[in-house]
Amino acid sequence: MNDDDDDLRIKLARALIWGAPLSIALWAALALALIAMTPHTVRHEIRSDARYAAHALKSGLGWRTPGATAPRAG
């Protein structure tokens, strides 16, 4: 190996160290902009569908909510 290989590794490491957080920040900003542009009714429908799907999946797997196991007040 020569010095050029070490310099290349250092440059690659530095690029990854700076590139990953910047990429995450860019995707987060893009996601927030998309959420902000989505009408409230569409967001509500998506959230309702997701909650129903989670409930159906949990009940299909036999999971019980903490309230289901609590004794009823008499």
Side-chain angles (χ1 to χ4, degrees):
M1 281 206 214
N2 55 21
D3 291 336
D4 293 339
D5 289 337
D6 291 337
D7 290 340
L8 185 61
R9 287 182 184 157
I10 291 170
K11 288 179 181 178
L12 178 63
R14 191 175 297 134
L16 290 174
I17 288 171
W18 282 99
L22 290 175
S23 176
I24 291 169
L26 176 67
W27 283 107
L30 187 63
L32 289 174
L34 183 64
I35 290 170
M37 292 175 48
T38 305
H40 176 71
T41 54
V42 174
R43 288 194 316 253
H44 178 71
E45 185 177 340
I46 292 170
R47 185 175 60 234
S48 297
D49 289 347
R51 290 183 71 186
Y52 176 76
H55 172 73
L57 179 64
K58 283 177 143 183
S59 63
L61 293 174
W63 290 8
R64 296 182 58 108
T65 60
T69 58
R72 296 191 183 260

Coordinates of all heavy atoms in Angstrom, one line a residue:
M1 N 0.8 -1.2 0.0 CA 0.0 0.0 0.0 C 0.9 1.2 0.0 O 2.0 1.2 0.6 CB -0.9 0.0 1.3 CG -2.1 -0.8 1.2 SD -3.2 0.0 2.3 CE -4.0 -1.5 2.9
N2 N 0.3 2.3 -0.6 CA 1.0 3.5 -0.5 C 0.2 4.6 0.2 O -0.9 4.3 0.6 CB 1.4 4.0 -1.9 CG 0.3 4.0 -2.9 OD1 -0.9 4.1 -2.4 ND2 0.5 4.0 -4.2
D3 N 0.7 5.8 0.2 CA 0.0 6.9 0.9 C -1.3 7.2 0.3 O -2.2 7.7 0.9 CB 0.9 8.1 1.0 CG 2.0 7.9 2.0 OD1 1.9 7.0 2.8 OD2 3.1 8.5 1.8
D4 N -1.4 7.0 -1.0 CA -2.7 7.4 -1.7 C -3.8 6.5 -1.3 O -5.0 7.0 -1.2 CB -2.5 7.2 -3.3 CG -1.5 8.2 -3.8 OD1 -1.3 9.2 -3.2 OD2 -1.0 7.9 -4.9
D5 N -3.6 5.3 -0.9 CA -4.7 4.4 -0.4 C -5.2 4.9 0.9 O -6.4 4.9 1.1 CB -4.2 3.0 -0.3 CG -3.9 2.3 -1.6 OD1 -4.5 2.7 -2.6 OD2 -3.2 1.3 -1.6
D6 N -4.3 5.3 1.8 CA -4.7 5.8 3.1 C -5.5 7.1 2.9 O -6.5 7.3 3.6 CB -3.5 6.1 4.0 CG -2.9 4.7 4.4 OD1 -3.6 3.7 4.4 OD2 -1.7 4.7 4.8
D7 N -5.1 8.0 2.0 CA -5.8 9.2 1.8 C -7.2 8.9 1.3 O -8.2 9.6 1.7 CB -5.0 10.1 0.8 CG -3.8 10.7 1.4 OD1 -3.7 10.7 2.7 OD2 -2.9 11.1 0.6
L8 N -7.3 8.0 0.4 CA -8.6 7.6 -0.2 C -9.5 7.1 0.9 O -10.7 7.4 1.0 CB -8.4 6.6 -1.3 CG -9.7 6.2 -2.1 CD1 -10.3 7.5 -2.7 CD2 -9.4 5.2 -3.1
R9 N -9.0 6.2 1.8 CA -9.8 5.7 2.9 C -10.3 6.8 3.8 O -11.4 6.8 4.3 CB -9.0 4.7 3.7 CG -8.9 3.4 2.9 CD -8.1 2.4 3.8 NE -7.9 1.2 3.0 CZ -7.0 0.3 3.3 NH1 -6.2 0.5 4.3 NH2 -6.8 -0.8 2.5
I10 N -9.4 7.7 4.1 CA -9.8 8.9 5.0 C -10.8 9.7 4.3 O -11.8 10.1 5.0 CB -8.5 9.7 5.3 CG1 -7.6 8.9 6.2 CG2 -8.9 11.0 6.0 CD1 -6.2 9.5 6.5
K11 N -10.7 10.0 3.1 CA -11.7 10.8 2.3 C -13.0 10.0 2.3 O -14.1 10.7 2.5 CB -11.2 11.1 0.9 CG -10.1 12.1 0.9 CD -9.7 12.3 -0.6 CE -8.5 13.3 -0.6 NZ -8.1 13.6 -2.0
L12 N -13.0 8.7 2.1 CA -14.2 7.9 2.1 C -14.9 8.0 3.4 O -16.1 8.2 3.5 CB -14.0 6.5 1.6 CG -15.2 5.6 1.6 CD1 -16.2 6.1 0.6 CD2 -14.7 4.2 1.3
A13 N -14.1 7.8 4.5 CA -14.7 7.8 5.8 C -15.3 9.2 6.1 O -16.4 9.2 6.7 CB -13.6 7.4 6.8
R14 N -14.6 10.2 5.8 CA -15.1 11.6 6.0 C -16.4 11.8 5.2 O -17.3 12.4 5.8 CB -14.0 12.6 5.7 CG -14.4 14.0 6.1 CD -13.2 14.9 5.9 NE -12.0 14.6 6.6 CZ -10.8 14.5 6.1 NH1 -10.6 14.8 4.8 NH2 -9.8 14.2 6.8
A15 N -16.4 11.3 4.0 CA -17.6 11.5 3.2 C -18.8 10.8 3.8 O -19.9 11.3 3.8 CB -17.4 11.0 1.8
L16 N -18.6 9.6 4.3 CA -19.7 8.8 5.0 C -20.1 9.4 6.3 O -21.3 9.5 6.6 CB -19.2 7.4 5.2 CG -19.1 6.5 4.0 CD1 -18.5 5.1 4.3 CD2 -20.4 6.3 3.2
I17 N -19.2 10.0 7.0 CA -19.5 10.6 8.3 C -20.4 11.8 8.0 O -21.3 12.1 8.8 CB -18.2 11.0 9.1 CG1 -17.6 9.7 9.6 CG2 -18.5 12.0 10.2 CD1 -16.2 10.0 10.2
W18 N -20.1 12.6 7.0 CA -20.9 13.8 6.7 C -22.1 13.5 5.9 O -23.1 14.1 6.0 CB -20.0 14.8 6.0 CG -19.1 15.6 6.9 CD1 -17.8 15.3 7.2 CD2 -19.5 16.6 7.8 NE1 -17.4 16.2 8.1 CE2 -18.4 17.0 8.5 CE3 -20.7 17.3 8.0 CZ2 -18.4 18.0 9.5 CZ3 -20.7 18.3 9.0 CH2 -19.6 18.7 9.7
G19 N -22.0 12.5 5.0 CA -23.0 12.2 4.0 C -24.3 11.5 4.7 O -25.4 11.9 4.3
A20 N -24.0 10.6 5.6 CA -25.2 9.9 6.2 C -26.1 10.9 7.0 O -27.3 10.8 6.7 CB -24.7 8.8 7.1
P21 N -25.6 11.7 7.9 CA -26.5 12.6 8.6 C -27.2 13.6 7.6 O -28.4 13.9 7.8 CB -25.7 13.3 9.6 CG -24.5 12.5 9.8 CD -24.3 11.8 8.5
L22 N -26.5 14.1 6.7 CA -27.1 15.0 5.7 C -28.2 14.3 4.9 O -29.2 14.9 4.6 CB -26.0 15.6 4.8 CG -25.1 16.6 5.4 CD1 -24.0 17.0 4.5 CD2 -25.8 17.8 6.0
S23 N -28.0 13.1 4.5 CA -29.0 12.3 3.8 C -30.2 12.1 4.7 O -31.4 12.3 4.2 CB -28.4 11.0 3.3 OG -29.4 10.2 2.7
I24 N -30.0 11.7 5.9 CA -31.1 11.5 6.8 C -31.9 12.8 7.0 O -33.2 12.8 7.0 CB -30.6 11.0 8.2 CG1 -30.1 9.6 8.0 CG2 -31.7 11.0 9.2 CD1 -29.4 9.0 9.2
A25 N -31.2 13.9 7.2 CA -31.9 15.2 7.3 C -32.7 15.6 6.1 O -33.8 16.1 6.2 CB -30.8 16.3 7.6
L26 N -32.1 15.3 4.9 CA -32.8 15.6 3.6 C -34.1 14.8 3.5 O -35.1 15.3 3.2 CB -31.9 15.3 2.5 CG -32.5 15.5 1.1 CD1 -32.8 17.0 0.8 CD2 -31.6 15.0 0.0
W27 N -34.0 13.5 3.8 CA -35.2 12.7 3.7 C -36.2 13.0 4.8 O -37.4 13.0 4.5 CB -34.8 11.2 3.9 CG -34.3 10.6 2.6 CD1 -33.0 10.3 2.4 CD2 -35.0 10.4 1.4 NE1 -32.8 9.9 1.1 CE2 -34.0 9.9 0.5 CE3 -36.3 10.5 1.0 CZ2 -34.4 9.5 -0.8 CZ3 -36.6 10.1 -0.3 CH2 -35.7 9.6 -1.2
A28 N -35.8 13.4 6.0 CA -36.7 13.9 7.0 C -37.4 15.2 6.6 O -38.6 15.3 6.8 CB -36.0 14.1 8.3
A29 N -36.7 16.1 6.0 CA -37.3 17.3 5.5 C -38.3 17.1 4.4 O -39.4 17.7 4.4 CB -36.2 18.3 5.1
L30 N -37.9 16.1 3.5 CA -38.8 15.8 2.4 C -40.1 15.1 3.0 O -41.2 15.5 2.5 CB -38.1 14.8 1.5 CG -38.9 14.5 0.2 CD1 -39.1 15.7 -0.6 CD2 -38.1 13.4 -0.6
A31 N -40.0 14.3 4.0 CA -41.2 13.6 4.6 C -42.0 14.6 5.3 O -43.3 14.6 5.2 CB -40.7 12.5 5.6
L32 N -41.4 15.6 6.0 CA -42.2 16.6 6.7 C -42.9 17.5 5.7 O -44.1 17.9 5.9 CB -41.3 17.4 7.6 CG -40.8 16.7 8.9 CD1 -39.8 17.5 9.6 CD2 -42.0 16.3 9.8
A33 N -42.3 17.8 4.6 CA -42.9 18.7 3.6 C -44.1 17.9 3.0 O -45.2 18.5 2.7 CB -41.9 19.1 2.5
L34 N -43.9 16.6 2.7 CA -45.0 15.8 2.2 C -46.2 15.8 3.2 O -47.3 15.9 2.7 CB -44.5 14.4 1.8 CG -45.5 13.5 1.2 CD1 -45.9 14.0 -0.2 CD2 -44.9 12.1 1.0
I35 N -45.9 15.6 4.4 CA -47.0 15.5 5.4 C -47.7 16.9 5.5 O -48.9 16.9 5.6 CB -46.4 15.2 6.8 CG1 -46.0 13.7 6.8 CG2 -47.4 15.4 7.9 CD1 -45.2 13.3 8.0
A36 N -46.9 18.0 5.4 CA -47.5 19.3 5.5 C -48.4 19.6 4.3 O -49.4 20.3 4.4 CB -46.4 20.4 5.6
M37 N -48.1 19.0 3.1 CA -48.9 19.3 1.9 C -50.1 18.4 1.8 O -51.0 18.6 1.0 CB -48.0 19.1 0.7 CG -46.9 20.1 0.6 SD -45.8 19.8 -0.8 CE -46.9 19.4 -2.2
T38 N -50.1 17.3 2.6 CA -51.2 16.3 2.6 C -52.4 16.9 3.3 O -52.3 17.3 4.5 CB -50.8 15.0 3.2 OG1 -49.6 14.5 2.5 CG2 -51.9 14.0 3.0
P39 N -53.6 16.9 2.7 CA -54.8 17.4 3.4 C -55.1 16.6 4.7 O -54.8 15.5 4.8 CB -55.9 17.3 2.4 CG -55.2 17.1 1.1 CD -53.9 16.5 1.3
H40 N -55.7 17.3 5.6 CA -56.0 16.7 6.9 C -56.9 15.5 6.8 O -56.7 14.5 7.5 CB -56.7 17.7 7.8 CG -57.1 17.2 9.1 ND1 -56.2 16.8 10.1 CD2 -58.4 16.8 9.6 CE1 -56.9 16.3 11.1 NE2 -58.2 16.3 10.9
T41 N -57.9 15.5 5.9 CA -58.8 14.4 5.7 C -58.1 13.2 5.2 O -58.4 12.1 5.7 CB -59.9 14.8 4.8 OG1 -59.4 15.2 3.5 CG2 -60.8 15.8 5.3
V42 N -57.1 13.4 4.4 CA -56.3 12.2 3.8 C -55.5 11.7 5.0 O -55.4 10.4 5.1 CB -55.5 12.6 2.6 CG1 -54.6 11.5 2.2 CG2 -56.4 13.1 1.5
R43 N -54.8 12.5 5.7 CA -54.0 12.1 6.9 C -54.8 11.3 7.9 O -54.4 10.3 8.4 CB -53.3 13.3 7.6 CG -52.2 13.9 6.7 CD -51.3 14.8 7.6 NE -52.0 15.7 8.4 CZ -52.1 17.0 8.3 NH1 -51.6 17.5 7.2 NH2 -52.8 17.7 9.1
H44 N -56.0 11.8 8.1 CA -56.9 11.1 9.1 C -57.3 9.8 8.6 O -57.4 8.8 9.3 CB -58.2 12.0 9.3 CG -59.1 11.4 10.2 ND1 -58.9 11.2 11.6 CD2 -60.3 10.8 10.0 CE1 -59.9 10.6 12.2 NE2 -60.8 10.3 11.2
E45 N -57.6 9.7 7.3 CA -58.0 8.4 6.7 C -56.8 7.4 6.8 O -57.0 6.2 7.1 CB -58.5 8.6 5.3 CG -59.0 7.3 4.6 CD -59.5 7.5 3.2 OE1 -59.8 8.7 2.9 OE2 -59.6 6.5 2.5
I46 N -55.6 7.8 6.5 CA -54.5 7.0 6.5 C -54.2 6.5 8.0 O -54.0 5.3 8.2 CB -53.2 7.7 6.0 CG1 -53.4 7.9 4.5 CG2 -51.9 6.9 6.3 CD1 -52.3 8.8 3.9
R47 N -54.3 7.4 8.9 CA -54.1 7.1 10.3 C -55.2 6.1 10.8 O -54.9 5.1 11.5 CB -54.1 8.3 11.2 CG -53.8 8.0 12.7 CD -53.7 9.3 13.5 NE -54.9 10.1 13.5 CZ -55.0 11.3 13.1 NH1 -54.0 12.0 12.7 NH2 -56.2 12.0 13.1
S48 N -56.4 6.3 10.4 CA -57.5 5.4 10.8 C -57.3 4.0 10.2 O -57.5 3.0 10.9 CB -58.9 5.9 10.3 OG -59.1 7.1 10.9
D49 N -56.9 3.9 8.9 CA -56.6 2.6 8.3 C -55.5 1.9 9.0 O -55.5 0.7 9.2 CB -56.3 2.8 6.8 CG -57.5 3.2 6.0 OD1 -58.7 3.1 6.5 OD2 -57.4 3.6 4.8
A50 N -54.4 2.7 9.3 CA -53.3 2.1 10.0 C -53.7 1.5 11.4 O -53.2 0.4 11.7 CB -52.1 3.1 10.1
R51 N -54.5 2.3 12.1 CA -54.9 1.8 13.4 C -55.8 0.6 13.3 O -55.7 -0.4 14.1 CB -55.6 2.9 14.2 CG -54.7 4.1 14.6 CD -55.4 5.1 15.4 NE -55.7 4.5 16.7 CZ -56.4 5.2 17.6 NH1 -56.9 6.3 17.3 NH2 -56.6 4.6 18.7
Y52 N -56.6 0.6 12.3 CA -57.5 -0.6 12.1 C -56.7 -1.8 11.7 O -56.9 -2.9 12.2 CB -58.6 -0.4 11.1 CG -59.4 -1.6 10.8 CD1 -60.4 -2.0 11.7 CD2 -59.1 -2.4 9.7 CE1 -61.1 -3.1 11.4 CE2 -59.9 -3.5 9.4 CZ -60.9 -3.9 10.3 OH -61.6 -5.0 10.1
A53 N -55.7 -1.6 10.9 CA -54.8 -2.7 10.4 C -54.0 -3.3 11.6 O -53.9 -4.5 11.8 CB -53.9 -2.3 9.3
A54 N -53.5 -2.4 12.5 CA -52.8 -2.8 13.7 C -53.7 -3.6 14.6 O -53.3 -4.6 15.2 CB -52.2 -1.6 14.4
H55 N -54.9 -3.1 14.8 CA -55.9 -3.8 15.6 C -56.2 -5.2 15.1 O -56.2 -6.2 15.8 CB -57.1 -3.0 15.8 CG -58.2 -3.7 16.5 ND1 -58.2 -3.9 17.9 CD2 -59.4 -4.2 16.1 CE1 -59.3 -4.6 18.2 NE2 -60.0 -4.8 17.1
A56 N -56.5 -5.3 13.8 CA -56.8 -6.5 13.2 C -55.6 -7.5 13.3 O -55.8 -8.7 13.5 CB -57.2 -6.3 11.7
L57 N -54.4 -7.0 13.1 CA -53.3 -7.9 13.2 C -53.1 -8.4 14.6 O -52.8 -9.6 14.8 CB -52.0 -7.1 12.7 CG -50.7 -7.9 12.8 CD1 -50.7 -9.1 11.8 CD2 -49.5 -7.0 12.5
K58 N -53.2 -7.5 15.6 CA -53.0 -7.9 17.0 C -54.1 -8.9 17.4 O -53.8 -9.9 18.0 CB -53.1 -6.7 17.9 CG -51.9 -5.9 17.9 CD -52.1 -4.7 18.8 CE -50.9 -4.3 19.6 NZ -51.1 -3.2 20.5
S59 N -55.3 -8.6 17.0 CA -56.4 -9.6 17.4 C -56.3 -10.9 16.7 O -56.6 -11.9 17.2 CB -57.8 -8.9 17.2 OG -58.0 -8.7 15.8
G60 N -55.8 -10.8 15.4 CA -55.6 -12.1 14.7 C -54.5 -12.9 15.3 O -54.5 -14.2 15.2
L61 N -53.5 -12.3 15.9 CA -52.4 -13.0 16.6 C -52.7 -13.5 18.0 O -51.9 -14.1 18.6 CB -51.1 -12.2 16.6 CG -50.5 -11.9 15.2 CD1 -49.4 -10.9 15.4 CD2 -50.1 -13.1 14.5
G62 N -53.9 -13.1 18.5 CA -54.3 -13.5 19.8 C -53.9 -12.6 20.9 O -54.0 -12.9 22.1
W63 N -53.4 -11.4 20.6 CA -53.0 -10.4 21.6 C -54.2 -9.8 22.3 O -55.2 -9.6 21.7 CB -52.2 -9.3 21.0 CG -50.8 -9.7 20.5 CD1 -50.3 -11.0 20.4 CD2 -49.8 -8.8 20.0 NE1 -49.1 -11.0 19.9 CE2 -48.7 -9.7 19.7 CE3 -49.7 -7.5 19.9 CZ2 -47.5 -9.2 19.2 CZ3 -48.5 -7.0 19.4 CH2 -47.4 -7.8 19.1
R64 N -54.1 -9.5 23.5 CA -55.2 -8.9 24.3 C -54.7 -7.6 24.8 O -53.5 -7.5 25.3 CB -55.6 -9.8 25.4 CG -56.2 -11.1 24.9 CD -56.7 -12.0 26.0 NE -57.7 -11.3 26.8 CZ -59.0 -11.5 26.8 NH1 -59.4 -12.5 26.0 NH2 -59.8 -10.8 27.5
T65 N -55.5 -6.6 24.8 CA -55.2 -5.3 25.4 C -55.1 -5.4 26.9 O -55.8 -6.3 27.5 CB -56.2 -4.3 24.9 OG1 -57.5 -4.6 25.4 CG2 -56.2 -4.1 23.4
P66 N -54.4 -4.5 27.6 CA -54.4 -4.6 29.0 C -55.8 -4.4 29.7 O -56.1 -5.0 30.7 CB -53.5 -3.4 29.4 CG -52.7 -3.1 28.2 CD -53.5 -3.5 27.0
G67 N -56.7 -3.6 29.0 CA -58.0 -3.4 29.6 C -58.9 -4.7 29.5 O -59.8 -4.9 30.2
A68 N -58.5 -5.6 28.5 CA -59.3 -6.8 28.3 C -59.1 -7.8 29.4 O -60.0 -8.6 29.7 CB -59.0 -7.4 27.0
T69 N -58.0 -7.7 30.1 CA -57.7 -8.7 31.2 C -58.1 -8.1 32.6 O -58.1 -8.9 33.5 CB -56.2 -9.0 31.2 OG1 -55.4 -7.8 31.4 CG2 -55.8 -9.7 29.9
A70 N -58.4 -6.8 32.6 CA -58.7 -6.2 33.9 C -60.1 -6.7 34.3 O -61.0 -6.8 33.5 CB -58.6 -4.7 33.9
P71 N -60.4 -6.9 35.6 CA -61.7 -7.2 36.0 C -62.7 -6.0 35.9 O -62.2 -4.9 36.0 CB -61.5 -7.6 37.5 CG -60.3 -7.0 37.9 CD -59.4 -6.9 36.7
R72 N -63.9 -6.3 35.6 CA -64.9 -5.2 35.4 C -65.4 -4.7 36.8 O -65.5 -5.5 37.7 CB -66.1 -5.7 34.6 CG -65.7 -6.1 33.2 CD -67.0 -6.2 32.4 NE -66.6 -6.7 31.1 CZ -66.6 -5.8 30.0 NH1 -66.9 -4.6 30.2 NH2 -66.3 -6.2 28.8
A73 N -65.6 -3.4 36.9 CA -66.1 -2.8 38.1 C -67.5 -3.2 38.3 O -68.3 -3.2 37.3 CB -65.9 -1.3 38.1
G74 N -67.9 -3.6 39.5 CA -69.2 -4.2 39.7 C -70.3 -3.3 40.1 O -71.4 -3.5 40.1

